[in-house]
Short mmCIF file of all heavy atoms in Angstrom, two decimals:
data_model
loop_
_atom_site.label_atom_id
_atom_site.label_comp_id
_atom_site.label_asym_id
_atom_site.label_seq_id
_atom_site.Cartn_x
_atom_site.Cartn_y
_atom_site.Cartn_z
N ASP A 1 1.38 -12.20 4.35
CA ASP A 1 1.11 -11.85 5.75
C ASP A 1 1.59 -12.97 6.63
O ASP A 1 1.10 -14.10 6.55
CB ASP A 1 -0.41 -11.64 5.93
CG ASP A 1 -0.73 -11.08 7.29
OD1 ASP A 1 0.16 -11.06 8.15
OD2 ASP A 1 -1.89 -10.66 7.48
N PRO A 2 2.58 -12.72 7.51
CA PRO A 2 3.12 -13.82 8.32
C PRO A 2 2.10 -14.39 9.30
O PRO A 2 2.26 -15.50 9.79
CB PRO A 2 4.30 -13.18 9.05
CG PRO A 2 3.98 -11.72 9.09
CD PRO A 2 3.24 -11.44 7.83
N ASP A 3 1.06 -13.61 9.65
CA ASP A 3 0.08 -14.09 10.63
C ASP A 3 -1.12 -14.74 9.98
O ASP A 3 -1.99 -15.26 10.69
CB ASP A 3 -0.42 -12.93 11.50
CG ASP A 3 0.72 -12.35 12.32
OD1 ASP A 3 1.60 -13.13 12.69
OD2 ASP A 3 0.71 -11.12 12.56
N GLY A 4 -1.25 -14.73 8.67
CA GLY A 4 -2.43 -15.28 8.01
C GLY A 4 -2.12 -16.58 7.32
O GLY A 4 -1.26 -16.65 6.45
N ALA A 5 -2.81 -17.64 7.71
CA ALA A 5 -2.59 -18.94 7.10
C ALA A 5 -3.34 -19.00 5.78
O ALA A 5 -4.55 -18.83 5.73
CB ALA A 5 -3.07 -20.04 8.03
N GLY A 6 -2.62 -19.27 4.70
CA GLY A 6 -3.27 -19.41 3.41
C GLY A 6 -3.69 -18.10 2.80
O GLY A 6 -4.54 -18.06 1.93
N VAL A 7 -3.13 -16.96 3.28
CA VAL A 7 -3.51 -15.66 2.77
C VAL A 7 -2.57 -15.28 1.64
O VAL A 7 -1.35 -15.41 1.77
CB VAL A 7 -3.49 -14.61 3.89
CG1 VAL A 7 -3.90 -13.26 3.34
CG2 VAL A 7 -4.42 -15.04 5.00
N GLY A 8 -3.11 -14.76 0.55
CA GLY A 8 -2.31 -14.48 -0.63
C GLY A 8 -1.45 -13.25 -0.49
O GLY A 8 -1.49 -12.54 0.52
N PRO A 9 -0.63 -12.95 -1.49
CA PRO A 9 0.22 -11.78 -1.45
C PRO A 9 -0.60 -10.51 -1.36
O PRO A 9 -1.78 -10.47 -1.70
CB PRO A 9 1.01 -11.87 -2.76
CG PRO A 9 0.91 -13.29 -3.18
CD PRO A 9 -0.40 -13.78 -2.68
N LYS A 10 0.08 -9.47 -0.92
CA LYS A 10 -0.60 -8.19 -0.73
C LYS A 10 -1.19 -7.67 -2.04
O LYS A 10 -2.31 -7.16 -2.09
CB LYS A 10 0.37 -7.19 -0.13
CG LYS A 10 -0.21 -5.82 0.11
CD LYS A 10 0.82 -4.91 0.73
CE LYS A 10 0.24 -3.52 0.95
NZ LYS A 10 1.25 -2.61 1.55
N ALA A 11 -0.42 -7.81 -3.14
CA ALA A 11 -0.89 -7.31 -4.43
C ALA A 11 -2.16 -8.03 -4.86
O ALA A 11 -3.08 -7.43 -5.42
CB ALA A 11 0.20 -7.48 -5.48
N GLU A 12 -2.23 -9.33 -4.58
CA GLU A 12 -3.41 -10.08 -4.99
C GLU A 12 -4.60 -9.73 -4.10
O GLU A 12 -5.75 -9.72 -4.55
CB GLU A 12 -3.10 -11.57 -4.93
CG GLU A 12 -2.06 -11.99 -5.98
CD GLU A 12 -1.85 -13.48 -6.00
OE1 GLU A 12 -2.12 -14.11 -4.97
OE2 GLU A 12 -1.42 -14.00 -7.03
N ARG A 13 -4.36 -9.43 -2.83
CA ARG A 13 -5.46 -9.03 -1.96
C ARG A 13 -6.02 -7.69 -2.42
O ARG A 13 -7.23 -7.45 -2.38
CB ARG A 13 -4.99 -8.94 -0.50
CG ARG A 13 -4.56 -10.28 0.09
CD ARG A 13 -4.56 -10.24 1.61
NE ARG A 13 -3.74 -9.15 2.13
CZ ARG A 13 -2.44 -9.26 2.38
NH1 ARG A 13 -1.82 -10.41 2.13
NH2 ARG A 13 -1.77 -8.24 2.87
N GLU A 14 -5.11 -6.79 -2.86
CA GLU A 14 -5.59 -5.52 -3.38
C GLU A 14 -6.38 -5.69 -4.67
O GLU A 14 -7.35 -4.98 -4.92
CB GLU A 14 -4.40 -4.59 -3.61
CG GLU A 14 -3.71 -4.15 -2.31
CD GLU A 14 -2.49 -3.31 -2.59
OE1 GLU A 14 -2.11 -3.22 -3.78
OE2 GLU A 14 -1.92 -2.75 -1.62
N ALA A 15 -5.99 -6.68 -5.47
CA ALA A 15 -6.74 -6.95 -6.70
C ALA A 15 -8.16 -7.40 -6.38
O ALA A 15 -9.12 -7.03 -7.06
CB ALA A 15 -6.01 -7.99 -7.54
N PHE A 16 -8.30 -8.20 -5.35
CA PHE A 16 -9.64 -8.63 -4.96
C PHE A 16 -10.46 -7.44 -4.46
O PHE A 16 -11.65 -7.32 -4.76
CB PHE A 16 -9.53 -9.70 -3.88
CG PHE A 16 -10.87 -10.20 -3.40
CD1 PHE A 16 -11.54 -11.19 -4.10
CD2 PHE A 16 -11.46 -9.68 -2.26
CE1 PHE A 16 -12.76 -11.66 -3.66
CE2 PHE A 16 -12.68 -10.13 -1.83
CZ PHE A 16 -13.33 -11.13 -2.53
N ALA A 17 -9.82 -6.56 -3.69
CA ALA A 17 -10.54 -5.42 -3.16
C ALA A 17 -10.99 -4.47 -4.26
O ALA A 17 -12.00 -3.78 -4.13
CB ALA A 17 -9.67 -4.67 -2.15
N GLU A 18 -10.21 -4.43 -5.40
CA GLU A 18 -10.57 -3.55 -6.50
C GLU A 18 -11.60 -4.16 -7.43
O GLU A 18 -11.93 -3.60 -8.47
CB GLU A 18 -9.31 -3.19 -7.28
CG GLU A 18 -8.33 -2.33 -6.47
CD GLU A 18 -7.04 -2.12 -7.21
OE1 GLU A 18 -6.92 -2.68 -8.34
OE2 GLU A 18 -6.15 -1.41 -6.71
N GLY A 19 -12.12 -5.36 -7.08
CA GLY A 19 -13.18 -5.96 -7.88
C GLY A 19 -12.72 -6.86 -8.97
O GLY A 19 -13.44 -7.06 -9.95
N ASP A 20 -11.50 -7.40 -8.89
CA ASP A 20 -11.00 -8.29 -9.93
C ASP A 20 -10.61 -9.63 -9.30
O ASP A 20 -9.45 -10.00 -9.24
CB ASP A 20 -9.78 -7.68 -10.62
CG ASP A 20 -9.36 -8.49 -11.85
OD1 ASP A 20 -10.18 -9.33 -12.29
OD2 ASP A 20 -8.24 -8.29 -12.34
N PRO A 21 -11.60 -10.38 -8.76
CA PRO A 21 -11.28 -11.63 -8.08
C PRO A 21 -10.79 -12.71 -9.03
O PRO A 21 -10.12 -13.65 -8.61
CB PRO A 21 -12.61 -12.03 -7.42
CG PRO A 21 -13.65 -11.40 -8.27
CD PRO A 21 -13.06 -10.11 -8.76
N LEU A 22 -11.06 -12.60 -10.35
CA LEU A 22 -10.64 -13.65 -11.27
C LEU A 22 -9.13 -13.66 -11.47
O LEU A 22 -8.57 -14.64 -11.96
CB LEU A 22 -11.34 -13.46 -12.62
CG LEU A 22 -12.86 -13.61 -12.60
CD1 LEU A 22 -13.43 -13.40 -14.00
CD2 LEU A 22 -13.26 -14.98 -12.07
N SER A 23 -8.48 -12.53 -11.11
CA SER A 23 -7.03 -12.47 -11.28
C SER A 23 -6.28 -13.16 -10.16
O SER A 23 -5.07 -13.23 -10.20
CB SER A 23 -6.58 -11.01 -11.37
OG SER A 23 -6.87 -10.33 -10.14
N LEU A 24 -7.01 -13.65 -9.14
CA LEU A 24 -6.34 -14.29 -8.02
C LEU A 24 -5.89 -15.69 -8.39
O LEU A 24 -6.52 -16.38 -9.17
CB LEU A 24 -7.29 -14.36 -6.81
CG LEU A 24 -7.79 -13.02 -6.27
CD1 LEU A 24 -8.69 -13.25 -5.09
CD2 LEU A 24 -6.64 -12.11 -5.90
#
């Protein structure tokens, strides 16, 4: 995300939303 400082890739954000935060 070009507007988010320190924000991970989209795929990793979706992984967190699906309940798999350890994969980040």
